Amino acid sequence: YGRLRGVCRGGSSRKECAMTLLGRFDVEGEATGVALALQQPLSFWGGVDAESGRIIDPSQLALGVCLAQKILVMPSGRGSSSSSSVLAETIRRGTGPRAIVMASPDPIITAGSMVARSLYGIVCPVVVLYKAEDLPADGDCVSITVAPDGAALLTVDPLRE
């Protein structure tokens, strides 16, 4: 897992380079959107309002930000097993993220996405990159596709929408 290639425009810093990253799917699927990058793990149980999709955990810097249609990026999930049911409900309502990208696998996040796929037929891919330094930054444009070998292929472009 890691970086496959980078294309830089006018510089070589991380902020100027489009990257292709290779990860592992915990829940396979494709998605494109703008990254909402959290610095700390998020618990959907008590941390997200399923009706609005807004982050309600006061310990989060992104308090009040809506997850809907975003690629949620975070180090890992956090906490209660009930988070899986809240995640599935946000996906069902259309208030949840388009996909979730993490540095560490989280069985509760994976379960929530799998339940949404099974019960509602809605796919929210879950990708693990394993390297925190490879996680997309807030506002990056992210496209997640399935590589021929089944791996998760992420194209991350720091150019903002």
Side-chain angles (χ1 to χ4, degrees):
Y1 303 106
R3 294 179 190 175
L4 295 179
R5 63 180 177 267
V7 176
C8 298
R9 289 179 278 287
S12 61
S13 75
R14 159 75 172 85
K15 293 180 179 179
E16 299 166 337
C17 295
M19 296 180 294
T20 301
L21 305 170
L22 192 61
R24 184 192 87 203
F25 279 113
D26 279 356
V27 178
E28 188 176 293
E30 298 191 349
T32 300
V34 176
L36 171 60
L38 304 180
Q39 299 305 308
Q40 57 190 13
L42 174 69
S43 173
F44 279 79
W45 179 258
V48 176
D49 175 45
E51 190 172 317
S52 68
R54 295 202 179 278
I55 296 174
I56 58 173
D57 179 349
S59 71
Q60 287 286 341
L61 293 175
L63 177 67
V65 175
C66 186
L67 300 174
Q69 307 306 308
K70 302 287 187 190
I71 306 294
L72 178 60
V73 178
M74 59 185 173
S76 65
R78 183 186 86 215
S80 175
S81 59
S82 298
S83 286
S84 59
S85 63
V86 177
L87 173 58
E89 181 64 8
T90 65
I91 294 168
R92 182 188 74 81
R93 288 175 169 266
T95 60
R98 285 186 178 171
I100 300 172
V101 178
M102 299 179 290
S104 300
D106 186 288
I108 294 168
I109 296 290
T110 299
S113 179
M114 292 173 81
V115 166
R117 173 181 268 175
S118 177
L119 292 180
Y120 313 124
I122 304 170
V123 178
C124 175
V126 177
V127 177
V128 179
L129 289 180
Y130 289 108
K131 292 182 180 178
E133 64 269 15
D134 284 343
L135 289 173
D138 198 47
D140 284 353
C141 296
V142 179
S143 178
I144 300 169
T145 57
V146 182
D149 66 356
L153 200 59
L154 280 74
T155 303
V156 179
D157 194 337
L159 294 178
R160 307 306 186 239
E161 275 192 334

